[in-house]
C-alpha cells in the first residue's frame, strides 16, 4: 500500500461517511415502502386469511389501461405547461426588477399552498357557480364545464399552477448564484435579448428545468386529492383508483390497490428514468 | 462462504465502502421479512371487566382519542364543548382527532393489527356504522360484548331493529348507539312549488326538469344509499328485496335499477356525464342553485346550514310516501385500543339523557336521539318534548314514517360496483 | 442596446464579482427598452395574474360571513371564518405544523448538504446508484406510504412522531440534495484550499469560509425541506396516527364538510404566511463572500 494510493482512499471513506446519514432514512422509506407495497400486491400480506402468492390483483382490476393513459395525459400536459410557465417566471424573477419581485413573491406563495387547498381553491374559482362565474355574471348553464368536465381542465390547471411555481423556485435557486454575471457579460458583448435567452439562460437553466419537471411529473402521477376533487367520475386516474380500492368496503380490495400502486410506480420510474438519461447528456450538468 | 467473526479486526475503509450495497440489500431483506410475516392470527380481545365500577376504576386518568369526521362544525363543537367536559368530570380526557373520512380511522386500526400492535392502538373510539362496521367486524377489529356493562344502555330499547342490527350486521355488543339518522330528500320550495311524493315521482320530476337533479357517485355513502332507495322503488317496495345478499337476488333485481338510472342519466345535471364525488359537493350544487333537489343521510345539519346562509331559506325536507332508509350511528372501540375503559365511559356518558337532549337541540347539533322515549321517566321525556322545533327538518316521528330497513352490508359494494361499470362508464 | 453604463467599471480590480440574488436591482445592462419593455410588462402582468388568481377565492371567502350564489361579491363581511377556524383548533395545529416543519428542515438540510458535497466531488463509490437512490423518494406515490410503510414502522415499534419525521426527512432529502448539488457545482474549492494553505484548521475553514459561502444555498434547501413538512397531509395523518394534528389535517377535515368555505379560506391563507416570512429571510441571506469588500 503506497501513500499515493491511500489519499483517494481516505477521501472515499470521508465521502462515504458524508453520504451515509442521507442514505439511511431514504433507504428505509423507499425500500420499505416499495417492498411492502409489492408484497401486498402479491397477496402476501392479507388483512384476513392466510398469505398466498398470487398475481390475481393485477388481473382483476378493470380498465387499467384507460386509467393509465388518462393519468399519463394529465401528467404530461400539466407538466409541460408548468415547465414553460415556470421557466419564463424564473427568467422574470432573475431579471430582478420590481415586476420580477412581485412575480417572485406570488409564485413563492403558490409553492407553499398544499395541493389539497389548491384543489379546493381552484374548485371555488372555476366551478359553474364559482368566483369567476359570479364576478363575470355568467349563469351556471352558460359556464363551460371546467370542473369535472371532459377536458379535466381544472385538474390540469391546478397541477400546472402549483408545479410552475415549483419549477420557477428550483430554477431561480440553482441559477441565482451564477446567471447574472454570464447574462451581463453576454449583454456587454452585444447579445440581443432573444439570443441571451436562447444561448445563455436556457442552457444554464435546462438541467434544473428537467429535474424540476421530472419531480412535478412524478408528483402529478402519484397524488390523488386534486383529481378526486376536481375530476370526472369515470374514467378515473390510477391514483384515484388506488385510493378508492384501498378505502373500499371489502377487505379483499387491498391487494388490488397495491397492484395499482405498483403499476403507477413502474410507470413513473420508467418515464423519470428516461428524463434522467436526458440529463446525463447535458453538458451544463457537473 | 465467509463466516462473520465477532473479533475480526476492524474493517478497512475499502471494505467498508464495498459494504454499502450489501448492507442496503440486507436492510431490504429485513424490511420484507418484517412485513411479509403473516398477519397475527390471534387478534386481541381486550381486557375483561366484571362490572361498571371495575370499568370506572380502570378508566380514571385515561386519555381517549375519538376519531370522527371533522367536516361538521356543530358536531366538533358539541364534542369539544359539551361531551368532553362531561367526560372530564369522570376522570377521562377526551381528545377529538378530526379526519376527512371515517375510513382513515379504520385503515389505521387495520394497519396496526397487520403489524401486530395489539394493545396500544392510536384509535380509542370511532364514530361509525354500516359497511365500515361490517368490514371491521370481519377483520375482528372491534372490542365486543361491552355495551351490556354500560348503565345507560337501559335507556335504549333492546328490540329496536335499528340498534340491534347495523346494515344487517348484528351489533353483538361491539358498538354502542349514538344517534339515529333518516335518509331525506331535500328541495327548494321556491323553485319546486309542487314537490313529488314518491321516489318514482322524484325520478319523473327529474326527467321533466332536465339538469336540475343529480346524486353523488357511488361509493359515496349518500350516493350509495340513493341506489338502494331506487332499488326498493323499482322492485315495488323494500319487501321485495331480500335483506340478505345473494348473487341470485342481485342478478334478478339489479338490472331494473340500472335500466331506470340509465334512462334517467341524460336528464341529470351535466347530462349524467359526471356526478358529484361526495354528498358535500352535491350540497354545494344545491346551495349554488344549480340543482333544485338533493338528498342527505344527515338531515340534522340542515338547520344550521340554512341559518348561517349556506343554504337558501326556502330549503325543505321532502317526506315521501314509500318511506326512506333509516339507520343509526354508533361508537366502536377497536380491540387494540389501550384505553378501552375510558372509551366505555365516554360512550356511556354520550348515552345519558342530558347528553342526548343537548345533542338533539338543533342549535347544538340536532341529531335524533337513540333513547327509547316511551321508557323514560316523565321528567326526562319532558326535556325532549321541550326541544325547539327546527323550521327545516321535521321531527323524527314524521321523518321516519314507513321507514325502510337498510339492506345487509354485502349489498352495498355489489350495487356500487355495478353502478360504476354500467352507469358511470356509460 | 447600449453598452454605455456606469455600473460596470472594468478597470476596478474586482477579484470576484459579488454574487447576485433574486430581488437585487437589475443592472441597466440587462434592462430592456421600447417594445421589449412593453412585452416584458405584459408578460409580467400575465404571469402575476396566473399565480394570483387561485388566491382570489381564498381572500374573498376569508372575510365572507355569507355569500350565496349568484352575488358577485360576499354579501356580508365578517370574521365568522376566523372564529370557526380557531374553534376547530387552528391555533394549536399551526404550532404543531411549525414545529414539525422546522424539525424536518433542520435534519434534512445538513444531510442533503453533506451528501451533495460528497457526490459533487466524485469520491463516492457507486455514486450513480446513490444519486438515483437519494432521488427516488420523489417517485414514491404518497399512497404507497399509506399502503405498506406504516405496517413496517408499527411492527418495528417506531414511535409515531419519530416515524413522521423519518418519512418526511426521506421525502425532503431529494430536494435538499439536488439543491445543494447545484450549488456545489458552482462552488469554487479555491477558497477552502487557500484557507487551509494559510494555516486554518479544517474546522475553522468550515465555519468561517465554507458555510458562509454556501449559506444562501443552505437557506434555500432548508426552505424546500420546510415546505415538505408544511404541506404534507397523508403521511402526517397515516403515520402520525392522530398524535400530530397539523394545519393540513384541520384544513382537510374542514374542507370535507359543507358551508365551511370561510374557515377553510382563513386556515389556508394563514398557512401561506410562515413560508413567505421564511422566504423573506432567505432573500436577505447574502453570500458572505470573502472576496467582497464590506
Amino acid at each position: 500500500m503506497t501513500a499515493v494510493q491511500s489519499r483517494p482512499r481516505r477521501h472515499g471513506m470521508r465521502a462515504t461517511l458524508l453520504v451515509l446519514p442521507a442514505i439511511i432514512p431514504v433507504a428505509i422509506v423507499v425500500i420499505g415502502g416499495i417492498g411492502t407495497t409489492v408484497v401486498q400486491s402479491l397477496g402476501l400480506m392479507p388483512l384476513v386469511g392466510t398469505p398466498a402468492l398470487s398475481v390475481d390483483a393485477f388481473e382483476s382490476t378493470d380498465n387499467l389501461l384507460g386509467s393509465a393513459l388518462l393519468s399519463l395525459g394529465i401528467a404530461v400536459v400539466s407538466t409541460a405547461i408548468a415547465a414553460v410557465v415556470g421557466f419564463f417566471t424564473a427568467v422574470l424573477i432573475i431579471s430582478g426588477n420590481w415586476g420580477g419581485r412581485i412575480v417572485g413573491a406570488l409564485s413563492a406563495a403558490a409553492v407553499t399552498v398544499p395541493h389539497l387547498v389548491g384543489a379546493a381553491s381552484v374548485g371555488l374559482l372555476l366551478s359553474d357557480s364559482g368566483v369567476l362565474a359570479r364576478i363575470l355574471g355568467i349563469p351556471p348553464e352558460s359556464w363551460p364545464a371546467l370542473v369535472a368536465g371532459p377536458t379535466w381542465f381544472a385538474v390540469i390547471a391546478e397541477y400546472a399552477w402549483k408545479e410552475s411555481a415549483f419549477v420557477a423556485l428550483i430554477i431561480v435557486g440553482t441559477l441565482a448564484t451564477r446567471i447574472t454575471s454570464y447574462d451581463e457579460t453576454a449583454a456587454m458583448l452585444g447579445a440581443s435579448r432573444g439570443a441571451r435567452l436562447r444561448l445563455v439562460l436556457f442552457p444554464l437553466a435546462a438541467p434544473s428545468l428537467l429535474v424540476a419537471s421530472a419531480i412535478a411529473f412524478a408528483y402529478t402521477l402519484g397524488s390523488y386529492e386534486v383529481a378526486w376533487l376536481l375530476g370526472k367520475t369515470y374514467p378515473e386516474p390510477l391514483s384515484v383508483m388506488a385510493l378508492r380500492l384501498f378505502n373500499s368496503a371489502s377487505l379483499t380490495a387491498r391487494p388490488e390497490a397495491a397492484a395499482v400502486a405498483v403499476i403507477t410506480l413502474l410507470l413513473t420510474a420508467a418515464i423519470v428514468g428516461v428524463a434522467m438519461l436526458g440529463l446525463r447528456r447535458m453538458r451544463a450538468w457537473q | 462462504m465467509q463466516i462473520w467473526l465477532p473479533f475480526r479486526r476492524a474493517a478497512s475503509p475499502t471494505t467498508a465502502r464495498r459494504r454499502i450495497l450489501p448492507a442496503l440489500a440486507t436492510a431490504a431483506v429485513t424490511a420484507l421479512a418484517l412485513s411479509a410475516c403473516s398477519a397475527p392470527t390471534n387478534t386481541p380481545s381486550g381486557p375483561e371487566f366484571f362490572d361498571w365500577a371495575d370499568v370506572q376504576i380502570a378508566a380514571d386518568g385515561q386519555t381517549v382519542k375519538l376519531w370522527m369526521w371533522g367536516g361538521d362544525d356543530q358536531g366538533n363543537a358539541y364534542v369539544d364543548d359539551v361531551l368532553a367536559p362531561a367526560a372530564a368530570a369522570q376522570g377521562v380526557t377526551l381528545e377529538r382527532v378530526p379526519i376527512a373520512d371515517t375510513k382513515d380511522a379504520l385503515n389505521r386500526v387495520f394497519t396496526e393489527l397487520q403489524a401486530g400492535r395489539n394493545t396500544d392502538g392510536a384509535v380509542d373510539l370511532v364514530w361509525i356504522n354500516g359497511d365500515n362496521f361490517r368490514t371491521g367486524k370481519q377483520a375482528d377489529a372491534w372490542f365486543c360484548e361491552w355495551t351490556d356493562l354500560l348503565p345507560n344502555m337501559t335507556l335504549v330499547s333492546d328490540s329496536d331493529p335499528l340498534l340491534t342490527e347495523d346494515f344487517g350486521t348484528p351489533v353483538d355488543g361491539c358498538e354502542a348507539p349514538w344517534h339515529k339518522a333518516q335518509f331525506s330528500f331535500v328541495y327548494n320550495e321556491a323553485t319546486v312549488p309542487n314537490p313529488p311524493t314518491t321516489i318514482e315521482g322524484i325520478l319523473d320530476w327529474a326527467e321533466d326538469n332536465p339538469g336540475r337533479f343529480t346524486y353523488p357517485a357511488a361509493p359515496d355513502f349518500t350516493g350509495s344509499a340513493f341506489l338502494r332507495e331506487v332499488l326498493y322503488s323499482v322492485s315495488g317496495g323494500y319487501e321485495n328485496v331480500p335483506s340478505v345478499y345473494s348473487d341470485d337476488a342481485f342478478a334478478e333485481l339489479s338490472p331494473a335499477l340500472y335500466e331506470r338510472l340509465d334512462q334517467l342519466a341524460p336528464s341529470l345535471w351535466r347530462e349524467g356525464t359526471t356526478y358529484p364525488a361526495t354528498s358535500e359537493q352535491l350540497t354545494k350544487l344545491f346551495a349554488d342553485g344549480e340543482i333544485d333537489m338533493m338528498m342527505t343521510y344527515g338531515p340534522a345539519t340542515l338547520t344550521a346550514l340554512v341559518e348561517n346562509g349556506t343554504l337558501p331559506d326556502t330549503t325543505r325536507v321532502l317526506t315521501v310516501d314509500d318511506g326512506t332508509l333509516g339507520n343509526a350511528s354508533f361508537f366502536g372501540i377497536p380491540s387494540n385500543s389501550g384505553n378501552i375503559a375510558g372509551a366505555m365511559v365516554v360512550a356511556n356518558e354520550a348515552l345519558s339523557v342530558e347528553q342526548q337532549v343537548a345533542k338533539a337541540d338543533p342549535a347544538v347539533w340536532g341529531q335524533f336521539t337513540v333513547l327509547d322515549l316511551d321508557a323514560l321517566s316523565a321528567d326526562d321525556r319532558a326535556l325532549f318534548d321541550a326541544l325547539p322545533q327546527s323550521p327545516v327538518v321535521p321531527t323524527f316521528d314524521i321523518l321516519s314514517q314507513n321507514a325502510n330497513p337498510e339492506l345487509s352490508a354485502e349489498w352495498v359494494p355489489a350495487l356500487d360496483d355495478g353502478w360504476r361499470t354500467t352507469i358511470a362508464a356509460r | 442596446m447600449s453598452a454605455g453604463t456606469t455600473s460596470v467599471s472594468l478597470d476596478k480590480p474586482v477579484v470576484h464579482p459579488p454574487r447576485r440574488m433574486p430581488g437585487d436591482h437589475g443592472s441597466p445592462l440587462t434592462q430592456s427598452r421600447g417594445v421589449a419593455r412593453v412585452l416584458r410588462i405584459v408578460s409580467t402582468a400575465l404571469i402575476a395574474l396566473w399565480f394570483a388568481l387561485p388566491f382570489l377565492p381564498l381572500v374573498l371567502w376569508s372575510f365572507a360571513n355569507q355569500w350565496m350564489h349568484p352575488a358577485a361579491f360576499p354579501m356580508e363581511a365578517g370574521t365568522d371564518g376566523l372564529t370557526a377556524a380557531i374553534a376547530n383548533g387552528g391555533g394549536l395545529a399551526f404550532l404543531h405544523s411549525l414545529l414539525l416543519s422546522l424539525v424536518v428542515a433542520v435534519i434534512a438540510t445538513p444531510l442533503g448538504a453533506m451528501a451533495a458535497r460528497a457526490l459533487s466531488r466524485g469520491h463516492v463509490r457507486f455514486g450513480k446508484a446513490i444519486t438515483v437512490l437519494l432521488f427516488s423518494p420523489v417517485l414514491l406515490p404518497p399512497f404507497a406510504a399509506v399502503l405498506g410503510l406504516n405496517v413496517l414502522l408499527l411492527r418495528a415499534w417506531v414511535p409515531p412522531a419519530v416515524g413522521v419525521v423519518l418519512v418526511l426527512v426521506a421525502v425532503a432529502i431529494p430536494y435538499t440534495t439536488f439543491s445543494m448539488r447545484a450549488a456545489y457545482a458552482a462552488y469554487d474549492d479555491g477558497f477552502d484550499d487557500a484557507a487551509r494553505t494559510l494555516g486554518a484548521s479544517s474546522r475553522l475553514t468550515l465555519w468561517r469560509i465554507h458555510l458562509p459561502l454556501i449559506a444562501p444555498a443552505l437557506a434555500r434547501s432548508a426552505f424546500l425541506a420546510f415546505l415538505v413538512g408544511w404541506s404534507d397531509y397523508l403521511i402526517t395523518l397515516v403515520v402520525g396516527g392522530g398524535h400530530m394534528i397539523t394545519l393540513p389535517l384541520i384544513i382537510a377535515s374542514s374542507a370535507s364538510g359543507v358551508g365551511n368555505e370561510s374557515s377553510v379560506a382563513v386556515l389556508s391563507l394563514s398557512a401561506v404566511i410562515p413560508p413567505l416570512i421564511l422566504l423573506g429571510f432567505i432573500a436577505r441571506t447574502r453570500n458572505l463572500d470573502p472576496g467582497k469588500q464590506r
Side-chain angles (χ1 to χ4, degrees):
Chain A
M1 207 178 266
T2 68
V4 185
Q5 273 174 333
S6 76
R7 192 174 153 74
R9 194 169 277 179
R10 252 203 356 259
H11 268 293
M13 179 64 184
R14 219 183 116 229
T16 306
L17 286 179
L18 280 175
V19 172
L20 217 52
I23 289 184
I24 291 168
V26 169
I28 293 175
V29 168
V30 170
I31 297 173
I34 295 177
T36 42
T37 309
V38 171
V39 164
Q40 290 199 56
S41 72
L42 295 174
L44 292 176
M45 213 161 83
L47 271 178
V48 285
T50 46
L53 185 72
S54 89
V55 290
D56 289 354
F58 287 88
E59 289 159 0
S60 59
T61 325
D62 61 338
N63 198 20
L64 214 51
L65 186 66
S67 290
L69 289 177
L70 176 64
S71 278
L72 273 181
I74 293 173
V76 166
V77 175
S78 55
T79 307
I81 298 173
V84 174
V85 176
F87 174 68
F88 283 103
T89 306
V91 171
L92 279 178
I93 296 173
I94 288 170
S95 78
N97 53 41
W98 61 268
R101 278 195 232 178
I102 293 174
V103 168
L106 284 172
S107 66
V111 169
T112 66
V113 176
H115 271 281
L116 190 79
V117 173
S121 192
V122 168
L124 286 174
L125 185 75
L126 296 180
S127 68
D128 298 356
S129 47
V131 169
L132 272 189
R134 290 182 193 196
I135 290 177
L136 300 174
I138 298 172
E141 48 283 8
S142 333
W143 187 257
L146 302 178
V147 174
T151 55
W152 294 81
F153 185 95
V155 178
I156 291 170
E158 202 280 343
Y159 283 129
W161 175 65
K162 277 277 299 166
E163 301 304 344
S164 62
F166 173 74
V167 169
L169 184 80
I170 293 288
I171 296 181
V172 169
T174 53
L175 291 194
T177 44
R178 48 183 174 166
I179 193 78
T180 328
S181 46
Y182 283 115
D183 200 31
E184 276 172 4
T185 311
M188 202 163 64
L189 294 172
S192 73
R193 204 169 170 74
R196 293 205 313 273
L197 194 68
R198 213 172 60 246
L199 299 173
V200 181
L201 283 170
F202 186 73
L204 281 172
S208 37
L209 177 63
L210 193 73
V211 171
S213 304
I215 293 177
F217 181 86
Y219 189 90
T220 310
L221 266 185
S223 78
Y224 77 98
E225 310 96 310
V226 180
W228 181 68
L229 280 172
L230 301 178
K232 223 168 149 266
T233 312
Y234 193 95
E236 54 190 353
L238 287 176
S239 51
V240 176
M241 182 190 267
L243 229 85
R244 180 174 58 80
L245 289 169
F246 180 65
N247 279 340
S248 158
S250 66
L251 289 172
T252 49
R254 272 195 170 203
E256 289 174 30
V260 178
V262 169
I263 289 165
T264 313
L265 197 66
L266 291 177
L267 204 61
T268 316
I271 288 165
V272 173
V274 171
M276 290 302 107
L277 284 180
L279 182 68
R280 280 175 61 188
R281 296 186 170 202
M282 288 189 192
R283 274 185 302 139
W285 180 245
Q286 284 303 335
Chain B
M1 185 175 158
Q2 215 175 5
I3 297 162
W4 186 79
L5 295 169
F7 299 110
R8 218 170 61 168
R9 67 179 176 84
S12 76
T14 323
T15 48
R17 247 179 4 241
R18 285 211 178 115
R19 283 221 183 120
I20 291 183
L21 283 195
L24 283 180
T26 316
V29 170
T30 318
L32 291 186
L34 261 172
S35 62
C37 319
S38 64
T41 41
N42 52 337
T43 38
S45 55
E48 281 186 29
F49 301 104
F50 294 104
D51 56 15
W52 185 243
D54 218 16
V55 175
Q56 282 178 307
I57 292 165
D60 194 41
Q62 287 189 337
T63 296
V64 172
K65 286 198 183 291
L66 162 61
W67 289 51
M68 66 180 259
W69 180 65
D72 183 349
D73 282 350
Q74 272 192 312
N76 296 343
Y78 162 73
V79 170
D80 291 348
D81 304 340
V82 184
L83 187 57
Q90 306 193 36
V92 177
T93 310
L94 180 61
E95 280 178 13
R96 189 171 52 80
V97 177
I99 45 180
D101 189 335
T102 305
K103 299 248 163 58
D104 294 339
L106 204 61
N107 275 327
R108 171 76 196 184
V109 176
F110 286 165
T111 311
E112 285 172 349
L113 292 177
Q114 240 178 338
R117 297 289 288 268
N118 291 344
T119 52
D120 64 339
V123 187
D124 297 315
L125 200 57
V126 207
W127 178 23
I128 204 152
N129 74 354
D131 51 352
N132 287 328
F133 172 68
R134 172 178 146 266
T135 316
K137 210 175 168 201
Q138 280 180 342
D140 272 336
W142 302 123
F143 178 55
C144 284
E145 287 160 21
W146 55 277
T147 52
D148 285 347
L149 281 175
L150 307 188
N152 284 334
M153 275 302 276
T154 52
L155 305 172
V156 176
S157 159
D158 53 11
S159 59
D160 187 340
L162 274 186
L163 306 182
T164 55
E165 286 200 348
D166 184 352
F167 283 58
T169 308
V171 166
D172 292 342
C174 300
E175 51 179 3
W178 198 18
H179 35 253
K180 286 184 181 175
Q182 194 72 30
F183 189 88
S184 310
F185 290 95
V186 179
Y187 68 102
N188 187 342
E189 204 178 37
T191 47
V192 190
N194 299 306
T197 53
T198 59
I199 308 266
E200 187 51 36
I202 290 172
L203 303 184
D204 291 342
W205 172 89
E207 283 169 337
D208 294 341
N209 298 273
R212 308 304 295 171
F213 182 77
T214 189
Y215 53 92
D220 173 76
F221 190 66
T222 308
S224 169
F226 177 73
L227 299 184
R228 300 193 290 277
E229 291 283 3
V230 178
L231 177 69
Y232 283 161
S233 170
V234 295
S235 307
Y238 68 85
E239 306 87 344
N240 299 326
V241 183
S243 164
V244 178
Y245 175 83
S246 68
D247 288 345
D248 290 343
F250 180 79
E252 188 196 328
L253 295 168
S254 67
L257 162 71
Y258 297 131
E259 204 173 297
R260 185 71 190 89
L261 291 178
D262 190 49
Q263 194 189 330
L264 174 72
S267 312
L268 294 177
W269 173 74
R270 293 267 185 88
E271 289 89 40
T273 54
T274 187
Y275 294 81
T278 61
S279 69
E280 287 71 35
Q281 287 189 4
L282 178 80
T283 310
K284 186 97 183 76
L285 289 178
F286 181 81
D288 290 340
E290 287 198 60
I291 53 174
D292 294 326
M293 203 181 288
M294 64 155 188
M295 62 207 73
T296 173
Y297 221 141
T301 55
L302 292 173
T303 315
L305 290 177
V306 169
E307 207 158 87
N308 72 18
T310 304
L311 298 182
D313 296 338
T314 45
T315 302
R316 293 290 175 269
V317 168
L318 179 66
T319 44
V320 286
D321 297 343
D322 22 9
T324 57
L325 293 166
N327 76 21
S329 52
F330 299 79
F331 274 134
I333 303 179
S335 55
N336 69 340
S337 154
N339 301 295
I340 286 181
M344 286 169 72
V345 167
V346 173
N348 182 60
E349 184 56 36
L351 273 172
S352 68
V353 172
E354 303 79 61
Q355 290 291 327
Q356 290 276 326
V357 168
K359 187 162 59 81
D361 184 345
V364 177
W365 198 3
Q367 294 284 9
F368 303 124
T369 183
V370 289
L371 302 186
D372 183 1
L373 292 185
D374 299 331
L376 293 182
S377 71
D379 288 353
D380 287 345
R381 168 98 209 206
L383 291 173
F384 282 99
D385 291 340
L387 281 175
Q389 178 57 44
S390 159
V392 186
V393 187
T395 62
F396 188 71
D397 291 342
I398 298 174
L399 210 56
S400 63
Q401 261 167 20
N402 299 330
N404 302 339
E406 269 290 5
L407 286 173
S408 73
E410 285 91 341
W411 273 99
V412 176
L415 289 172
D416 290 355
D417 288 349
W419 181 83
R420 288 200 77 78
T421 47
T422 53
I423 306 298
R426 238 163 56 89
Chain C
M1 277 298 155
S2 130
T5 166
T6 49
S7 74
V8 179
S9 57
L10 295 170
D11 50 2
K12 197 174 158 195
V14 177
V15 185
H16 206 77
R19 289 196 172 85
R20 297 173 51 92
M21 290 293 295
D24 283 2
H25 286 288
S27 94
L29 246 189
T30 50
Q31 211 73 285
S32 46
R33 310 249 189 288
V35 184
R37 189 179 145 81
V38 174
L39 243 153
R40 203 198 66 226
I41 290 174
V42 171
S43 60
T44 306
L46 279 178
I47 288 185
L49 188 69
W50 162 259
F51 285 117
L53 209 51
F55 286 106
L56 184 65
L58 294 183
V59 173
L60 289 177
W61 270 109
S62 282
F63 305 103
N65 280 5
Q66 196 182 0
W67 187 8
M68 286 170 83
H69 188 76
F73 288 98
M75 299 146 85
E76 190 189 311
T79 54
D80 284 5
L82 184 65
T83 317
I86 292 170
N88 271 334
L92 196 60
F94 190 88
L95 291 180
H96 283 161
S97 274
L98 208 57
L99 184 69
L100 176 67
S101 317
L102 287 175
V103 168
V104 170
V106 163
I107 297 174
T109 310
L111 296 194
M114 278 152 57
R117 174 71 174 161
L119 289 169
S120 67
R121 289 297 168 268
H123 292 312
V124 188
R125 299 247 340 215
F126 311 113
K128 287 204 178 89
I130 289 172
T131 304
V132 169
L133 179 71
L134 291 183
F135 190 72
S136 61
V138 301
L139 306 184
L140 195 69
F143 54 78
V146 190
L147 276 165
L149 194 57
N150 206 24
V151 183
L152 204 65
L153 292 172
L154 282 165
R155 198 163 277 192
W157 288 83
V158 177
V162 177
V164 173
V165 171
L166 173 77
V167 179
L168 290 179
V169 162
V171 174
I173 278 177
Y175 299 96
T176 55
T177 310
F178 169 72
S179 157
M180 288 313 294
R181 223 179 142 172
Y184 276 124
Y187 181 78
D188 187 352
D189 267 347
F191 291 117
D192 291 33
D193 292 344
R196 294 302 300 277
T197 312
L198 291 173
S201 70
S202 61
R203 178 170 296 182
L204 187 74
T205 313
L206 178 71
W207 281 101
R208 302 297 294 273
I209 309 290
H210 191 92
L211 286 182
L213 274 171
I214 58 162
L218 275 179
R220 275 194 305 275
S221 301
F223 176 68
L224 289 174
F226 181 90
L227 280 185
V228 167
W230 188 253
S231 56
D232 174 74
Y233 165 67
L234 211 56
I235 293 165
T236 318
L237 172 79
V238 172
V239 180
H243 288 283
M244 248 186 270
I245 311 289
T246 56
L247 213 46
L249 261 63
I250 299 263
I251 292 175
S253 74
S254 284
S256 71
V258 180
N260 298 338
E261 285 92 347
S262 58
S263 70
V264 171
V266 168
L267 289 168
S268 305
L269 279 186
S270 70
V272 176
I273 294 165
L276 273 188
I277 293 175
L278 217 58
L279 207 65
F281 278 121
I282 293 168
R284 295 181 55 163
T285 324
R286 284 291 179 274
N287 261 345
L288 308 174
D289 195 327
K292 194 156 125 185
Q293 310 267 312
R294 278 188 298 151

